[in-house]
Amino acid sequence: MPADTVTDHWLTAADGIRLRLCEYGEGDRSLLLLPGRTEPAEKYAEVVERLTRHGWVVFVADWRGQGRSGGRPAHNPRIGHAGDFDIHAADLALYLRAVQASNPLSPITLLAHSMGGGITLRYLQTTPTPPAALKKVITLGAMITLPDQGVPRPLVRLAAEVTCLLGRSGHYALGQGDWGAKDRDFPDNGRTSDPARFAREVILLTDHPELQVGGPSWGWVRAALRLSARLMRGFASPVPLHLLQGDLDPYVPLSILRRFQRRVPNSTLTLLPGALHEPLMERDEVQAAAWAVLDPLLRQP
């Protein structure tokens, strides 16, 4: 199967939501790639091409409520909504079973970015016995907490809880809106220092508006804050965990990441020089430094 050929697997979650899992390439090693908030599978075409060229079968998940999966809010499909990330963790278990079914003799490496990383950590926290085929987990800029927007965290938590109690969990959080002009603005984007790769994502979402996801809902904010509180309790997992993060990442403070890592045995933390929040979407020299760390981890049995 050529790297530019995709097989879509359509899965049905416990609540009936249809989930899309994309499969690329051929080989005897499986890698499940879990994107971050707003990111469709198509955004990772360059990463997929590199991995399939090195003999990986790559599976990329579209989380519920984004990409081509179901579960978007009916009143506005552009809102990035979540009620409880434990539902996403259950979806991850479904994705893993599908990977095993498609490539049953292959060991599985899980590579998760941002929100996908936070969901993965919650899955490990709530799954004492993961599938034996899952050999390692690598996160990039895992969503362990929310970015500091200059508003005291207790006030954000209170606003989210009250607004959701008032029945507006599926509506945009304060100051948020549909994908638009601000998302096309490269300066100070906080995700990548590469204008060409940033522009490529903008073109993808402009040409395919059905893939667009705007800002988060109040429900998403509440769910993310609850996820953070749960994760910071720590956990033990039999699966080796490698936490990677750009040393210029503005979203997760390094002090919080270090505190989390100390509470998770069988984990390591590595900083990627010069990278913002999306190391694999960075300019060539920064991306090369990230792959210099990632490649040896991927080659480990």
Side-chain angles (χ1 to χ4, degrees), residues 17-190:
I17 298 296
R18 292 186 78 224
L19 303 174
R20 178 190 183 215
L21 179 67
C22 305
E23 178 180 355
Y24 306 84
E26 295 179 342
D28 57 2
R29 300 178 298 169
S30 294
L31 185 140
L32 175 57
L33 199 163
L34 300 174
R37 198 189 81 81
T38 80
E39 297 180 324
E42 288 82 356
K43 175 176 174 176
Y44 283 85
E46 181 184 12
V47 176
V48 167
E49 194 280 330
R50 189 185 196 281
L51 290 168
T52 54
R53 196 171 66 242
H54 286 81
W56 289 90
V57 183
V58 181
F59 298 82
V60 188
D62 272 345
W63 291 115
R64 62 171 58 219
Q66 58 187 55
R68 300 190 188 280
S69 285
R72 289 177 180 249
H75 64 285
N76 183 349
R78 301 292 187 265
I79 295 176
H81 179 62
D84 188 331
F85 283 113
D86 280 6
I87 297 173
H88 292 71
D91 291 344
L92 172 50
L94 185 60
Y95 290 132
L96 282 168
R97 289 196 294 272
V99 171
Q100 285 184 284
S102 182
N103 210 7
L105 300 180
S106 170
I108 301 171
T109 293
L110 200 158
L111 177 62
H113 175 245
S114 193
M115 185 187 82
I119 294 167
T120 298
L121 297 175
R122 181 58 177 165
Y123 168 80
L124 294 175
Q125 187 179 45
T126 57
T127 310
T129 310
L134 181 59
K135 299 303 183 183
K136 68 173 78 71
V137 170
I138 304 168
T139 66
L140 293 164
M143 188 181 77
I144 297 170
T145 187
L146 292 185
D148 184 0
Q149 302 288 348
V151 181
R153 188 57 51 87
L155 184 59
V156 176
R157 183 177 293 107
L158 177 63
E161 294 287 350
V162 170
T163 305
C164 290
L165 284 174
L166 293 176
R168 296 187 61 82
S169 66
H171 294 261
Y172 277 124
L174 186 66
Q176 303 299 316
D178 286 355
W179 190 90
K182 62 181 176 54
D183 300 288
R184 298 184 179 93
D185 190 16
F186 172 73
D188 302 320
N189 71 88

Side-chain angles (χ1 to χ4, degrees), residues 219-241:
W220 190 97
V221 172
R222 180 179 66 172
L225 290 170
R226 289 179 174 181
L227 174 67
S228 176
R230 291 164 179 165
L231 291 179
M232 290 306 294
R233 298 172 191 146
F235 59 89
S237 174
V239 181
L241 171 62

